[in-house]
Amino acid sequence: MSVEEKMDSGRRQLLLATSVAGGAAAAATAVPFVASLTPSERAKAAGAPVEADVSKLAPGEMMTVEWQGKPVWILRRTEEMLATLDKLDDQLADPASDKSIQPEYAKNKARSIKPEFLVTIGICTHLGCSPSQKFKIGADSGLGDAWPGGFLCPCHGSTFDLAARVYAGKPAPTNLDIPPHKYLADTKILIGEDGTA
């Protein structure tokens, strides 16, 4: 082997080694960059859709998830809870939800895609307080013998039924808002994107 061939061989090995090292450095730099493109927890809370698994939610139970910095309640209503919705129209300020904020697919008596599940933003439309659940009926609720169950805003006394519709004569001007949402599966709800599936 001549001196020139040895030199060529050495250059090739050096070129190969630096190419491999450069490729590894580029990959090591790209991984964190690509990972930074996924939405952070703060970005998710600021507006990215949020997935909720309701498989463990028993009838009559409610869970809360956060979307856009707001509490979103998911209530799994019982048959008894749903039965009360038909009896309250004369007591409600907006029974047909004509003045309230909800997607078109939730503009119905139950204000939901699936009657069993209510998905609503848990912020009172009066001054932005957070109502509390008052699911016990009658005198046990502390709201009188005729109380059919629902929500109470403790700040100024607005009451809402189990479809988040406000009772007439209360400070809240409209029903609780219904966020855009869709079902990814029977027990998975995506909050923040419209759809009826």
Side-chain angles (χ1 to χ4, degrees):
M1 198 184 263
S2 72
V3 174
E4 286 182 19
E5 288 176 343
K6 285 182 183 177
M7 215 170 177
D8 239 11
S9 175
R11 284 183 181 165
R12 283 189 186 141
Q13 287 177 353
L14 181 62
L15 181 62
L16 182 63
T18 55
S19 296
V20 169
T29 304
V31 168
F33 176 73
V34 171
S36 73
L37 297 177
T38 60
S40 66
E41 291 303 314
R42 178 184 250 175
K44 286 179 186 175
V50 176
E51 195 173 304
D53 181 2
V54 295
S55 61
K56 294 182 177 128
L57 201 58
E61 288 185 346
M62 185 175 84
M63 66 184 283
T64 305
V65 296
E66 186 177 337
W67 173 68
Q68 292 187 342
K70 302 173 191 167
V72 175
W73 296 336
I74 303 170
L75 170 63
R76 185 171 184 184
R77 297 179 280 207
T78 63
E79 289 298 321
E80 295 79 18
M81 289 173 155
L82 288 168
T84 65
L85 301 182
D86 290 326
K87 303 172 185 170
L88 300 173
D89 283 4
D90 61 333
Q91 300 173 47
L92 300 170
D94 185 16
S97 298
D98 292 325
K99 297 178 242 162
S100 301
I101 297 173
Q102 72 271 318
E104 216 30 62
Y105 51 80
K107 193 173 180 197
N108 52 49
K109 181 78 65 179
R111 298 187 77 217
S112 61
I113 297 171
K114 294 182 180 182
E116 179 182 8
F117 291 102
L118 170 68
V119 179
T120 188
I121 296 176
I123 297 177
C124 183
T125 56
H126 178 227
L127 292 176
C129 303
S130 186
S132 56
Q133 61 184 23
K134 290 288 189 175
F135 298 155
K136 290 185 179 180
I137 59 172
D140 288 343
S141 68
L143 295 173
D145 294 337
W147 178 250
F151 304 95
L152 165 71
C153 184
C155 299
H156 299 99
S158 291
T159 49
F160 302 87
D161 74 350
L162 293 164
R165 300 177 297 178
V166 68
Y167 281 83
K170 300 295 180 173
T174 59
N175 301 334
L176 297 180
D177 296 343
I178 305 292
H181 63 285
K182 66 181 179 181
Y183 284 81
L184 300 175
D186 282 342
T187 59
K188 293 231 189 277
I189 302 172
L190 185 66
I191 299 159
E193 281 187 16
D194 276 316
T196 56

